[in-house]
Amino acid sequence: MDQTPEHLEGAPLIVPSSTDHPLYDSIVDACRTVYDPEIPVNIYELGLIYTIEISADSEVRIIMTLTAPGCPVAGEMPGWVADAVEALPGIKQVDVEMTWEPPWGMQMMSDEARLELGFM
C-alpha cells in the first residue's frame, strides 16, 4: 500500500495552521474583512479559510476554498485575501491557493455565521 503523506489513512485533508505564530491573529482579522458579495458573513466565519501557514520569515501561505466551484468571484477572491493580508505590518509575502478538497460544507461555518444566516 502506498504510504506517501498524501495517501496515509486518516491524514487530515486540511493542513494545520500556524496558530502559535505572533502574526496569526492579525492574519485571521484581515481575512475577516473579506466577504463573499452574495453572503453577508466574512469568509473566515464561513469556513472558507482552511489553512494559514506562516514561515519564520513571515511569508504567508493561505489555502482556501469557495462555497461552490462556480462562485462568480472565484477568480477575484484569492486576490482580495492576499491584498488584505499583505497590508499588515510585518508580512513579507502572501500566496493564496484555492482548493476544492475537502469540499466546503455548511458544517464548516462558525456558530456566528450560522446565526447570522438564520441556520440556528
Side-chain angles (χ1 to χ4, degrees):
M1 182 172 168
D2 186 357
Q3 288 294 307
T4 60
E6 299 83 41
H7 297 97
L8 283 177
E9 194 171 323
L13 288 171
I14 297 175
V15 177
S17 292
S18 306
T19 54
D20 56 348
H21 194 284
L23 290 170
Y24 179 79
D25 290 337
S26 299
I27 294 169
V28 167
D29 289 343
C31 290
R32 284 188 170 121
T33 68
V34 180
Y35 285 76
D36 180 320
E38 298 178 356
I39 305 172
V41 174
N42 71 68
I43 63 169
Y44 188 83
E45 298 302 333
L46 282 175
L48 299 180
I49 302 294
Y50 284 175
T51 303
I52 299 171
E53 278 184 326
I54 312 161
S55 76
D57 295 331
S58 298
E59 296 170 337
V60 180
R61 177 176 170 237
I62 295 174
I63 303 172
M64 66 172 294
T65 194
L66 297 171
T67 55
C71 179
V73 294
E76 300 169 65
M77 186 80 72
W80 297 345
V81 173
D83 289 347
V85 175
E86 281 174 345
L88 295 171
I91 299 293
K92 185 173 180 182
Q93 175 185 337
V94 179
D95 290 313
V96 180
E97 297 174 25
M98 291 292 280
T99 186
W100 304 109
E101 290 297 323
W104 179 85
M106 289 180 35
Q107 76 279 6
M108 295 176 172
M109 288 192 290
S110 69
D111 288 345
E112 293 82 3
R114 289 180 195 177
L115 194 60
E116 177 75 28
L117 296 173
F119 295 122
M120 285 182 77

